[in-house]
Each structure stands twice: as structure tokens, then as C-alpha cells.
Amino acid sequence: MSDNMNDIDIFNETDSILIKKTLVNGKIKDIFVSDTGIIEEISDKYSGEYGEPEFIIDGESTVASPGFSNTHTHSAMTLLRGYADDMHLQEWLSEKIWPLEAHLSAEDVYNGTMLASIEMIRSGTIAFNDMYFFMEEAARAVYDSGIKAVLCHGFIDFGNEEKREAEIKATEKLCEHIKSMNNPRIKAAVGPHAPYTVSKEGLLWCSAYSKENDIGIHIHLSETEQEVKDCIEQNNKRPSKVLDECGCLSKRTVAAHGCWLDDSECELLGKIGVFVAHNPVSNMKLAVNRAMPYQKLIDSGVNVTLGTDGCSSNNNLDILEEMKTAALLQKFFWNSDTVLPAHETLKMATSAGKKALGFGEGELKTGAEADIVLINTKTPCMTPLFNWESNIVYSANSNAVDTVICNGRVLMHDGFIPNEEEICKKASDSAYSLVKRYNDSL
Amino acid sequence: MSDNMNDIDIFNETDSILIKKTLVNGKIKDIFVSDTGIIEEISDKYSGEYGEPEFIIDGESTVASPGFSNTHTHSAMTLLRGYADDMHLQEWLSEKIWPLEAHLSAEDVYNGTMLASIEMIRSGTIAFNDMYFFMEEAARAVYDSGIKAVLCHGFIDFGNEEKREAEIKATEKLCEHIKSMNNPRIKAAVGPHAPYTVSKEGLLWCSAYSKENDIGIHIHLSETEQEVKDCIEQNNKRPSKVLDECGCLSKRTVAAHGCWLDDSECELLGKIGVFVAHNPVSNMKLAVNRAMPYQKLIDSGVNVTLGTDGCSSNNNLDILEEMKTAALLQKFFWNSDTVLPAHETLKMATSAGKKALGFGEGELKTGAEADIVLINTKTPCMTPLFNWESNIVYSANSNAVDTVICNGRVLMHDGFIPNEEEICKKASDSAYSLVKRYNDSL
């Protein structure tokens, strides 16, 4: 797919790039990307107006799509992939996940986030929304991998004031750190974990802090029936209402899951302009028993996006798989063969996702940031090519992802990511060492 | 992954092969495969007893799994991939799929089945169960691609005697043709389409013919609620009972779907020893509104297998994706986070699947046919490797499939399949020409 196949420099620079003869919305086009990472021209044949490109990518037999955004994950949980599956939720959390997480180090989070970043790049993801801890290390991994991310410290106080003070400090520290990095690819958010794990005082602080610092909020909302029931019992109102009263809902809020939202909540979220991230794989694996009410959310004006959730409830970060599972789950659960068609699914992963993270509009057009995925149409799963959107959503797998460009920088080309093997090795070592430390502590 | 990376001969011969240092059930082993396609030795270090291997595959950083079986598909429907999606079922069939299929040629079926074969090989599939028409051409494609298959002509008479006679002739012709090929990789089956599309006379003929010729039966069973309701209305009994009375249920029967089976049917199928093929992706996409009662089937002694169904209701033939979707759908629909764990899912795709097709036991052991998949553990989605079965089912994608060996012959190595691009090109041409012929006919 490249005239520069062996030219490793293609990964290191933000030189100008000309993609020749790729399919953009069904038509063969050239795309010129400037050295500042902007799409300067999309035309039948590059005009030469912006100078000679430093790199040329042969886009023949590829479809160009806007890059994908993963709007809900806990990326360093890649280290826990396959550590415990097929268990009852509470047992799984309290006996497997939490005890292991208690031994996680900052270095582990760096290695796990590096692994997550390259795994996401492999399926065409150019940005993600992350909630975990040791997030300064996650920021370092995002910087090193070249991807974009919105990072938040998972804020949990369980109504405990001391814990809350610690979470406030951790949040402030992360936000200041990211501010000091001054890198447009890396943003901070406030991460109140969920209405059932954060006190009203905590939620109010998060809301005020996000407004003061003009940053987003990333939160879990209505994943399980039980948490909704508990919320109603304790507050006499549903979770969205609780969040709204604490000021946590705005056009800068990404709420993950939303499986158990009722109609009134969908309308509230739509009125405010909240983004709701659908995580179908995780929801199915954890048997949450209801699918997000996608059509009601859309009809209420909500921007619905896609997320993979963390690896321990998925167990991968493959956004192509997530698109397909979303389109399937909506059809199956809501008993409709026409709900969530391919075109809308792709929108969730592209324009809606990028808007949710504040990284732009997620469309291939001149003047936009060059976040571009080239998908190889000569692979079996993309053959024939009657409908490029349907093929991406329903039949493509990451095998077909050829090239990923983020902010004008090539992160993967011809299926090759620099240092991939070394990153996997370091993450493996971290994961096995983590389990050893845990076992030694018993 | 290979010492013979550029040695194209590895694909053409059934020479002896030594796979060095691959993980077999979590332990590093050498596997020696003789030139007759049999696993002669699995040991810590190859003894040399069976002579010098003609090819050596470096299995370090791979997991060896028994090859996967896809027990329900309509393979040439790859040509219709993405042609029509997100439509109401009846409209989709009557306005899109059937009119196009009416123009299919024998050559189209060859090209579509070639595409299907390499697509299946890419995800580690070594055998499939196919129902379509122009099946002599499908047999030619199976022969050329090196994969194994059980092929049947889709027998539909709608109670019409003339149609039935034609279907009987087509079935006999196919079975005689496959017999004359005398190739252990290619078997014939009888393919009564479904209880609602084949008359009792047709079912009785199919049953008698399968017994006379000692071949299996491949049929659709209880995919939608409507067909079950209609069956009860017409026959005053459920579909499994109708099939049983016509002699269509035996240890050689593979019944696809089974979404709407009730408890008594599960017990009947278990008692007889029928194989039931779960097709979760297709069932979700077509919104059938109930998941196969997996646990009840297992508890009744049924061998449950996996199928992708055809490309127009999936839209790919990726058995790894099917494994994950099966494990997810069962958990979600039956509201249980422990049902269908990874180990059982893998069994559906390996031992149960191969037994269903009469191709052996589907285990890696000495004396067995060498149907082996090597999965690269250095890819992000396989990192870390706490549990190889969990990683294959929940996190692997076809990117990680490195080598596929079928009957001792290498069909894919280091992600490379000979002639893949040419096969895709021919299938594309067939698909576009088919649509053109259809459009010209309007």
C-alpha cells in the first residue's frame, strides 16, 4: 500500500503526506495532509498547491474513513486481560479484579496504556476516553504512542470525607500535570466514577471543578438495574436526575452505558446535550439484561457514541468489533431488523465520538485535523465492496486496517506499528509481575 | 514465525512438518506431522523417530489450537456481502436477495465459495458445512482451496411435486459427483432446507436417501418464532417432532439455529444425538428475538456447535467473532454471567464441530488428522497470556491467526494465503457482474 514501505521515517515525523487514489465516500480521491496535521485538500487529483509531499501513500484499494473514537475505557486494564472470566460479577470484582488492582504500580499503568494504545490503533482508533488511576503515567503513554486521549482519575469516595479529599487532590494533580504538558492530543477530564460510588459533595465538587477549568466529565451511568433501584430507594429519583441536580450533566459530559435509562432520562440527557457511550460487548459479557435504549436516545437528541469498556469486561479494545456488536445488539434486544443501521453505527464511532471528546468533528474534509484510517479493500472480509459503510461495520476486522493517521502523523502503516513487539513484551512482563506481587502478598 | 518464510512450496505439498516450541494446552511442545497429514508426535522435543521434517515452522510465541469448524453457512453468499442490510426481513429476501440469487451462475458459486474458503481459513477454520446450489462448483472450490467441507444442495419443494423431483435429481447428482471425487476432504450431505419449506414427502425422501447413502443431513430448525407457530398450526406439533417423524433426526443431523426450541425438543434432540449449530451473529442481525437455549441443550446431552450462517446475514465468516458473540449472547439473553464459558465455547468450534461434520475428534493428539491453527501470542489482543482459551474466545481477532494447517497441508502461513488477491478480485468481478445482469434484466 505504500511507496515508502521500508521507510521507517514515515512514523517519526509529522511531514506532509499525500494519499493517492483512496475512496472517500465512494469516490476516488487524493488527500493532501500538511506538516501541521491538517487536511488541506481532497480532490480528484492533488493540485500541487501545498507543495511536494514528503511522503506518498498509495491509497489504491483502500477506503478512507474518519478515524474512530473509543469514548469509554479503562485502558491499563489490558494487563488483566483473561485473568478472570466467566464468573459472577461480585465474586469477580471482589476476589479477582480489586485485589490485583491494589498492587498496580505507576509503571504497570504506563505499560498497560501503551499496550492499549497500540491495540486501539490496530482497529483504527485515533482517540479514547480513559478513566483509571496513576493517570500521569497514562498521559506519558498517550504522548509516546501518538494517539489522542481524554484522561481522568476515577473519583470514588463512597461518602467518606478523607477519601474524597484524596480524590480531589489526585484529580487536581492530574489536571495540572496535563495542563503543563500543553499537548493538544492530551486532555484532562473530571472522572466521578458513578452516582452510586460518589457522594453528593463529591459530585458537586467535580461539577464545579469541571466548569472552573473548562474540562469535561466522564462518568458511569445506569449500567445495571440494581444501581438504578438503589438510587431510587436512596434518593427517590433516578440517577440522571441526581447527576443533573449536582451539575454533572452538560454538553461536556460523557456518560457510559445508559442501559437502564428510562424515557424521561433520555429526554433530559437530550435536552442538555450529554453524550452517552454505548458499550455493548461489556454489557453483554456482564449480563446487564437490558440494551441501551438507542432509538429513544437518538429521538431525544442525544449524541450516542461507542466504547469498549476495559479489557477485563470485553476482553479487547477493538472498535470495529464494538460497532458490529452495537448494531447487532440493538436489533436483537429491541426486536427490530432496521434499528441502528450501518451508517448510524459508523457515525457513533466517528463524528459523534470525536465531538464527545472535544477533538473536532470527525469528518474527512479540508481544514479538519487529519485523523484518517485507510482500510484495505483487497482483503476477503471487504470483498465485494457494494457498501463501504456496511462493510466497515458488519464485515471488516482489524486485519483489514492498513494505515492509521492521527493528527497528520502515521501511527500504523501497511499493518505495521513501530515497537509493537517490545510494547507487548513489556506489558506481558508487567502483568505477570503484578500477579506475582499479589500472590507473594498472600 | 517461520524458517521457510519465502518458501512458497510450503503451501503446495503435503510434506512432513515439524512445528517447534508451540504451546499445547499451556505447555511448550514440538508437533510432528507426517506427509500423510497425521499428527505423529507431540512431545517436549521431537524425537526424530519419523524422520527429518521437510518443513520446520517456528512455533515460538504461538498457541496451537485444534482447527475450527463452521457448521452452518451458505458460502457463496459472500458475493452478496453488503448488497442489502438493515432492512425488514421479508422485504430484504423478496426484493433483494432472491431476485439476485435467481441470476447466479455456476461460475459465480465457484468464485464465491473460493472467497468464502480463504475468508474462513483467515480465522482458523479448517472445515465447513455448506448449503446452497450449483454445489458441484462449490466442491471444485473446496478442492482448490484445500479446506474440508460437507456440501449439500438446498432442497426446497414448497409441497410442489415437480419441484420435488427436480430437487431429488439435484441432490442425487451432487452426491454422485462428490462420490466420484473420492476425496476425504469433501463430503456430501442431504439438505432439506427446513420443515416449513419442504413437504413431508420431501423430508421422507431426504431421510431415506441419507440412510441409503450413509451421509448426513443439514437442515434449518426453529430460527424464528413465526415458523414454529405456523408449524404447530399446520401439524399440531412442534418442528423437531415433525422432523423426527420423517426420520430426519439422527446422529448424522446438523440442525442450524434452534433459537425457539422448547424443553421437550431439547430433550428429544439430546436423546437422538442431533448436532445443533448456534449462529448468534445471524440471529442477532435478523432480530429473531430469542437466543438458542444453550444450557438446556447441553443438559439434555446435545452436541452444540457453531456456525456463521451466510454472508448476507452476518456479514462475514469469522469463526473467532462467532465464538465471542456466542459467549456474549448466551450471557446476555439468559441473564447469567457464567453460562457458556470460554472453554465450552472453544469446544463448540473444535471438537463438537468436527464431530458434527464427521471429520474426526477435533483434538490435538497423536494419530489425529493434522488440523492445526497457530495463533500469534505476540499480538496486542493476545497479550498477556493468562488463559489461552479465554484469549482465543474473548480477545483474539483474525489478525492473530498466523498459520492454518488442514489435513497436514499448510493453507496459511505467517498470515499469507497464496493467490488471495486474485481470489478476491475474481469474486468481486463475479459479484458486480451478477448485479449488472440482474439490473439489465429489469
Side-chain angles (χ1 to χ4, degrees):
Chain A
M1 296 291 143
S2 169
D3 297 345
N4 326 88
M5 286 266 292
N6 298 312
D7 197 338
I8 199 80
D9 284 349
I10 196 171
F11 299 105
N12 295 330
E13 303 294 327
T14 49
D15 289 323
S16 60
I17 301 166
L18 175 62
I19 305 168
K20 284 172 80 168
K21 295 189 178 176
T22 184
L23 281 169
V24 178
N25 291 318
K27 287 179 185 142
I28 295 173
K29 298 282 180 188
D30 285 358
I31 303 176
F32 187 86
V33 176
S34 71
D35 57 8
T36 58
I38 300 296
I39 298 175
E40 299 288 1
E41 182 177 319
I42 300 178
S43 59
D44 294 346
K45 190 170 175 3
Y46 174 52
S47 66
E49 185 179 342
Y50 300 92
E52 281 297 301
E54 276 142 310
F55 285 103
I56 295 175
I57 293 174
D58 176 6
E60 216 170 326
S61 304
T62 68
V63 164
S65 166
F68 310 129
S69 291
N70 179 356
T71 59
H72 177 63
T73 190
H74 312 286
S75 64
M77 291 185 91
T78 47
L79 298 189
L80 280 62
R81 191 195 320 267
Y83 176 70
D85 292 299
D86 304 312
M87 295 177 67
H88 290 301
L89 181 65
Q90 268 315 317
E91 199 183 325
W92 171 73
L93 280 172
S94 60
E95 292 177 21
K96 295 285 180 177
I97 302 301
W98 291 337
L100 209 59
E101 283 188 335
H103 290 265
L104 267 174
S105 71
E107 187 65 17
D108 290 335
V109 169
Y110 174 80
N111 289 330
T113 308
M114 281 301 285
L115 173 59
S117 298
I118 60 164
E119 187 183 352
M120 286 191 265
I121 291 165
R122 263 217 170 276
S123 66
T125 303
I126 50 83
F128 65 99
N129 196 24
D130 203 25
M131 178 192 289
Y132 212 51
F133 35 95
F134 294 118
M135 293 304 284
E136 285 89 345
E137 288 300 298
R140 187 161 67 91
V142 172
Y143 179 84
D144 288 349
S145 67
I147 202 167
K148 305 183 189 192
V150 178
L151 307 172
C152 72
H153 171 83
F155 186 118
I156 297 179
D157 68 6
F158 288 122
N160 176 311
E161 199 177 328
E162 201 176 329
K163 179 93 182 105
R164 180 157 61 249
E165 284 308 314
E167 297 294 65
I168 288 173
K169 275 189 189 143
T171 300
E172 288 173 337
K173 189 162 160 271
L174 173 67
C175 294
E176 280 154 24
H177 176 75
I178 289 178
K179 205 172 169 185
S180 76
M181 288 177 86
N182 193 27
N183 186 319
R185 285 196 289 112
I186 309 171
K187 294 176 191 244
V190 189
H193 174 269
Y196 63 94
T197 50
V198 185
S199 63
K200 280 191 188 168
E201 294 83 351
L203 292 172
L204 286 165
W205 182 87
C206 288
S207 149
Y209 190 80
S210 82
K211 284 185 190 92
E212 268 165 40
N213 292 278
D214 194 25
I215 59 179
I217 287 180
H218 181 185
I219 193 164
H220 295 86
L221 176 61
S222 297
E223 181 177 5
T224 67
E225 186 175 21
Q226 192 59 47
E227 75 190 63
V228 175
K229 280 186 181 164
D230 291 347
C231 179
I232 293 171
E233 198 171 296
Q234 284 161 34
N235 304 288
N236 207 22
K237 57 191 74 150
R238 299 182 70 89
S240 303
K241 195 81 191 150
V242 171
L243 290 184
D244 189 32
E245 288 177 4
C246 293
C248 283
L249 299 182
S250 80
K251 288 187 173 67
R252 303 290 300 274
T253 303
V254 179
H257 302 298
C259 311
W260 288 89
L261 294 168
D262 77 356
D263 284 1
S264 72
E265 288 177 290
C266 293
E267 286 155 17
L268 175 69
L269 297 170
K271 205 173 133 191
I272 295 171
V274 170
F275 291 84
V276 181
H278 191 15
N279 295 257
V281 171
S282 170
N283 298 159
M284 290 178 76
K285 185 157 185 258
L286 300 181
V288 303
N289 210 20
R290 187 174 190 254
M292 161 202 269
Y294 168 79
Q295 197 57 55
K296 177 65 194 173
L297 284 165
I298 290 293
D299 293 345
S300 304
V302 173
N303 288 298
V304 181
T305 63
L306 265 186
T308 59
D309 211 345
C311 261
S312 56
S313 61
N314 185 313
N315 302 347
N316 65 33
L317 305 174
D318 185 333
I319 198 78
L320 289 168
E321 184 180 291
E322 207 71 37
M323 282 189 231
K324 180 166 183 174
T325 308
L328 296 180
L329 178 60
Q330 288 298 321
K331 288 174 178 62
F332 182 78
F333 183 80
W334 297 102
N335 196 22
S336 159
D337 38 19
T338 57
V339 71
L340 192 44
H343 175 75
E344 290 179 30
T345 314
L346 197 58
K347 203 178 142 196
M348 287 166 77
T350 55
S351 54
K354 256 182 90 172
K355 278 179 207 155
L357 305 187
F359 283 127
E361 293 181 42
E363 288 168 32
L364 295 188
K365 57 180 186 184
T366 55
E369 284 170 359
D371 294 330
I372 306 170
V373 178
L374 300 181
I375 296 180
N376 183 354
T377 58
K378 279 187 185 167
T379 51
C381 65
M382 289 293 285
T383 303
L385 190 68
F386 284 121
N387 182 325
W388 69 277
E389 293 178 311
S390 170
N391 276 16
I392 288 178
V393 171
Y394 289 121
S395 64
N397 57 47
S398 59
N399 230 325
V401 180
D402 185 87
T403 297
V404 178
I405 298 172
C406 177
N407 254 22
R409 179 177 166 194
V410 177
L411 302 185
M412 179 167 87
H413 184 51
D414 201 28
F416 178 79
I417 297 173
N419 307 320
E420 182 172 40
E421 215 173 294
E422 188 192 335
I423 293 165
C424 289
K425 172 77 168 62
K426 278 192 180 167
S428 268
D429 291 347
S430 253
Y432 303 142
S433 147
L434 170 64
V435 172
K436 187 176 182 307
R437 291 197 305 275
Y438 166 63
N439 287 336
D440 289 348
S441 77
L442 295 178
Chain B
M1 295 293 145
S2 169
D3 296 346
N4 327 85
M5 287 267 292
N6 297 312
D7 197 338
I8 199 80
D9 283 348
I10 197 171
F11 299 106
N12 294 331
E13 303 294 328
T14 49
D15 288 323
S16 61
I17 301 165
L18 175 62
I19 305 168
K20 285 172 79 169
K21 295 189 179 176
T22 183
L23 281 169
V24 178
N25 292 317
K27 286 180 186 142
I28 296 174
K29 298 284 180 186
D30 285 358
I31 303 176
F32 186 86
V33 176
S34 70
D35 57 9
T36 57
I38 300 296
I39 297 176
E40 298 287 1
E41 182 177 318
I42 301 178
S43 59
D44 294 347
K45 189 171 176 3
Y46 173 52
S47 65
E49 186 179 340
Y50 300 92
E52 281 297 302
E54 275 141 314
F55 285 104
I56 294 176
I57 293 174
D58 177 6
E60 215 170 326
S61 303
T62 68
V63 163
S65 167
F68 309 129
S69 292
N70 179 355
T71 60
H72 178 63
T73 189
H74 312 286
S75 64
M77 291 185 89
T78 47
L79 299 188
L80 280 61
R81 191 195 320 267
Y83 176 68
D85 292 299
D86 304 313
M87 296 176 68
H88 289 301
L89 182 65
Q90 268 315 317
E91 198 183 326
W92 171 72
L93 279 172
S94 60
E95 292 178 21
K96 294 286 180 177
I97 302 301
W98 292 337
L100 209 59
E101 282 188 335
H103 290 265
L104 267 175
S105 70
E107 187 64 18
D108 290 335
V109 169
Y110 174 81
N111 289 330
T113 308
M114 281 301 287
L115 173 59
S117 298
I118 60 164
E119 187 183 353
M120 286 190 264
I121 291 165
R122 264 218 170 276
S123 66
T125 303
I126 49 84
F128 65 99
N129 197 24
D130 203 26
M131 178 193 289
Y132 212 51
F133 36 94
F134 294 117
M135 294 304 284
E136 285 89 343
E137 288 300 299
R140 187 161 69 92
V142 172
Y143 179 83
D144 288 350
S145 67
I147 202 168
K148 304 183 191 194
V150 178
L151 307 172
C152 72
H153 171 81
F155 186 118
I156 298 179
D157 68 6
F158 287 122
N160 176 311
E161 198 177 328
E162 201 177 329
K163 179 95 180 103
R164 182 157 59 249
E165 284 307 314
E167 297 295 64
I168 288 173
K169 274 189 191 142
T171 300
E172 289 174 335
K173 188 160 161 272
L174 173 67
C175 293
E176 281 155 24
H177 176 74
I178 289 179
K179 204 172 169 188
S180 75
M181 289 178 85
N182 193 27
N183 188 319
R185 286 196 288 111
I186 309 171
K187 295 176 191 242
V190 189
H193 174 268
Y196 63 94
T197 51
V198 184
S199 63
K200 279 193 188 166
E201 293 83 353
L203 293 173
L204 286 164
W205 182 87
C206 288
S207 150
Y209 190 81
S210 83
K211 284 184 190 97
E212 268 165 42
N213 292 276
D214 194 26
I215 58 179
I217 288 181
H218 181 184
I219 193 164
H220 295 86
L221 175 61
S222 298
E223 182 177 4
T224 68
E225 187 175 21
Q226 192 59 48
E227 73 189 65
V228 174
K229 279 187 181 164
D230 291 347
C231 179
I232 294 170
E233 198 170 294
Q234 284 161 34
N235 305 285
N236 206 24
K237 59 193 71 153
R238 299 182 70 89
S240 303
K241 195 78 188 150
V242 170
L243 289 185
D244 189 31
E245 288 177 2
C246 294
C248 282
L249 299 183
S250 79
K251 288 189 171 69
R252 306 288 301 273
T253 304
V254 179
H257 301 300
C259 309
W260 287 88
L261 293 169
D262 76 356
D263 284 1
S264 71
E265 287 178 291
C266 294
E267 286 155 18
L268 175 68
L269 297 170
K271 206 173 131 192
I272 295 172
V274 170
F275 291 85
V276 181
H278 191 15
N279 295 258
V281 171
S282 169
N283 297 159
M284 291 177 76
K285 185 156 184 259
L286 300 181
V288 302
N289 210 20
R290 186 174 191 253
M292 162 202 268
Y294 168 79
Q295 197 58 54
K296 177 64 194 172
L297 283 166
I298 289 293
D299 294 344
S300 305
V302 173
N303 289 297
V304 181
T305 63
L306 265 185
T308 58
D309 211 345
C311 261
S312 56
S313 62
N314 184 314
N315 301 351
N316 65 32
L317 304 175
D318 186 332
I319 198 77
L320 290 168
E321 185 180 291
E322 207 71 38
M323 282 189 232
K324 180 166 183 174
T325 309
L328 296 179
L329 178 59
Q330 288 297 324
K331 288 174 178 60
F332 182 78
F333 183 78
W334 297 103
N335 196 21
S336 159
D337 37 20
T338 56
V339 72
L340 192 44
H343 175 75
E344 292 180 28
T345 314
L346 197 57
K347 204 178 140 197
M348 289 166 76
T350 55
S351 54
K354 257 184 88 173
K355 279 180 208 154
L357 305 186
F359 283 128
E361 293 183 41
E363 289 170 28
L364 294 186
K365 58 181 185 184
T366 55
E369 284 171 358
D371 294 331
I372 305 170
V373 177
L374 299 181
I375 297 179
N376 183 354
T377 59
K378 280 186 183 167
T379 51
C381 64
M382 289 292 286
T383 303
L385 190 68
F386 284 122
N387 182 328
W388 68 277
E389 293 178 311
S390 170
N391 276 17
I392 289 178
V393 171
Y394 288 120
S395 64
N397 56 46
S398 58
N399 230 326
V401 180
D402 185 86
T403 297
V404 177
I405 298 173
C406 177
N407 255 20
R409 179 176 168 193
V410 177
L411 302 185
M412 179 167 87
H413 184 53
D414 202 29
F416 178 78
I417 298 174
N419 307 319
E420 182 171 38
E421 215 172 295
E422 189 192 335
I423 293 165
C424 289
K425 172 75 168 61
K426 279 192 180 167
S428 269
D429 291 347
S430 253
Y432 302 144
S433 148
L434 170 64
V435 172
K436 187 176 182 305
R437 291 198 305 276
Y438 167 63
N439 287 335
D440 288 350
S441 77
L442 295 177

